[in-house]
Amino acid sequence: RAKENGRNSYQLYTAAMNAASFEHLAMEANLREAIKNGQFTLHYQPKIDAASSRITGAEALIRWQHPKLGYVAPSLFIPLAEDLGIINDLGDWVLGSTIGQCRNWIREGMDDFRIAVNVSANQLQPGFNERLLNMLKEAEVEPRYLELELTESAVMKRSEDVVPMLTALKHRGIHISIDDFGTGYSNFGYLKRLPINKLKIDLSFIRDIPASQDDAELVSAMIAMAHKLSLTVVAEGVETAGQVAFLQQQNCDELQGYFFAHPLPAHEIQPLLQAGICQLER
Ligand code: C2E
Ligand code: MG
Ligand code: MG
Ligand code: MG
């Protein structure tokens, strides 16, 4: 009986493995095709200055509309693209598109904005800085228009390689943010030595404030410590007026979330960026 079970589970295991690697192969082809066939777009979610409620810029978020699969969430395909070693091509597409969009907006006469791009750890390989600075130069977009969002683990895992690269980019005027702060190492002693401008508090800490006293205290401590390190603080996933009031009271610098705006296609965010204000969707 045990043997039978063992055998069955072995068969199940290999079947699942084959299915998984088959899916992997299919998805790899899908992803490569998607880059070639222009199935990716970028949406932009406004970031709000907490004190003035003015828009300071936006975060670029990739969107994939597959002709048969429909909408595929980045939380599904970004990790896959990392595993498959195609995150560099995808990442270059995101950077190139964002910079192209910045160039268009600058040509429209817009000036006072900054667009953040999410960057995976694997993208920070030799040659990354050169490619990025070259894209900016070719497009005649000053580095001050750009911000990179990296997770703590992305920076910490290979800090000997990554820190010098980020230092060089920061010196050029590109802002560097730690994304999803609080979910990783959250080592403030270490943060002090990183070449960063900004912390983005992960939305899991924002969700239950101000009702959750634990989270409220955590968030206010994170903001206070970040300010001691001269870092700007952004709260992500802000959905309610109660969260806004609490974060303003704690002197959080910037707010981002559905309360203000969802991620929007370029033509929809442009008028908001131009006006500097968010039309509230309520
Ligand atoms: P992230 O960088 O932390 O982005 C924030 C996520 O929260 C986005 O999900 C955004 O749409 C969502 N969000 C914004 N406001 C709210 C809110 O008020 N409530 C809630 N519940 N969610 C909100 P999205 O677009 O699905 O992206 C998920 C993750 O995928 C991103 O997390 C980022 O890690 C990754 N990602 C997205 N675009 C790119 C990209 O171009 N390159 C790379 N490497 N990663 C990307
Ligand atoms: Mg982000
Ligand atoms: Mg985040
Ligand atoms: Mg996140």
Side-chain angles (χ1 to χ4, degrees), residues 114-184:
R114 189 187 292 274
I115 306 298
V117 173
N118 292 284
V119 174
S120 297
N122 302 353
Q123 288 178 253
L124 297 171
Q125 304 291 341
F128 175 81
N129 280 16
E130 211 176 16
R131 283 205 312 283
L132 173 55
L133 292 169
N134 224 20
M135 284 187 219
L136 287 165
K137 202 173 147 195
E138 298 261 296
E140 298 179 348
V141 172
E142 289 167 50
R144 69 178 168 99
Y145 290 102
L146 197 64
E147 175 176 329
L148 304 183
E149 295 191 3
L150 296 117
T151 61
E152 286 173 277
S153 52
V155 179
M156 304 292 194
K157 260 189 228 148
R158 294 174 31 242
S159 62
E160 326 77 57
D161 303 323
V162 167
V163 166
M165 293 174 67
L166 296 181
T167 303
L169 295 177
K170 185 167 176 270
H171 278 153
R172 294 297 195 98
I174 295 176
H175 276 200
I176 312 290
S177 296
I178 297 293
D179 205 350
D180 304 342
F181 184 73
T183 61

Side-chain angles (χ1 to χ4, degrees), residues 8 49 66 131 133 135 179 181 187 230 240 243 245 251 265 278:
N8 283 342
D49 177 70
H66 185 276
R131 283 205 312 283
L133 292 169
M135 284 187 219
D179 205 350
F181 184 73
N187 180 334
S230 304
T240 70
Q243 292 166 343
N251 294 318
C278 254

